[in-house]
Amino acid sequence: MQVSIEYCTQWDYEPRALSLRDELSNKFGINSELIESAGGVFEVKLNNNLIFSKKQLGRFPEEGEIENFIQGIEEVT
């Protein structure tokens, strides 16, 4: 499973990206790729498929939202 977290450096979203990376590592053993970006971006991709976009939803992921999504994927496969 490949996860990438693209985050805006202009708005200092790095702490959120690092926190999510650490949560995914601790819970699933996933080493997420961090991608610096701009323009208020905070997007999470799983196997190159967009699973969360702050730009589309107008918010950051809620506590456990990404982890629950990934857990649901694991249960199906």
Side-chain angles (χ1 to χ4, degrees):
M1 220 178 267
Q2 295 177 322
V3 174
S4 64
I5 304 166
E6 183 178 353
Y7 64 95
C8 179
T9 56
Q10 292 173 315
W11 290 95
D12 195 28
Y13 294 166
E14 184 177 24
R16 289 179 183 269
L18 292 171
S19 177
L20 179 57
R21 181 195 65 185
D22 292 346
E23 289 173 22
L24 296 177
S25 177
N26 291 337
K27 187 163 186 174
F28 302 107
I30 296 173
N31 294 318
S32 304
E33 176 186 13
L34 297 180
I35 303 168
E36 293 181 358
S37 192
V41 170
F42 193 91
E43 294 190 335
V44 181
K45 292 183 180 178
L46 175 64
N47 298 329
N48 291 319
N49 295 305
L50 185 64
I51 62 169
F52 184 88
S53 173
K54 178 185 172 291
K55 283 284 205 185
Q56 290 178 0
L57 298 174
R59 64 175 177 81
F60 286 100
E62 296 174 6
E63 180 81 25
E65 183 174 0
I66 303 299
E67 295 91 329
N68 290 339
F69 181 87
I70 291 173
Q71 180 132 9
I73 295 293
E74 282 189 333
E75 290 173 1
V76 171
T77 58

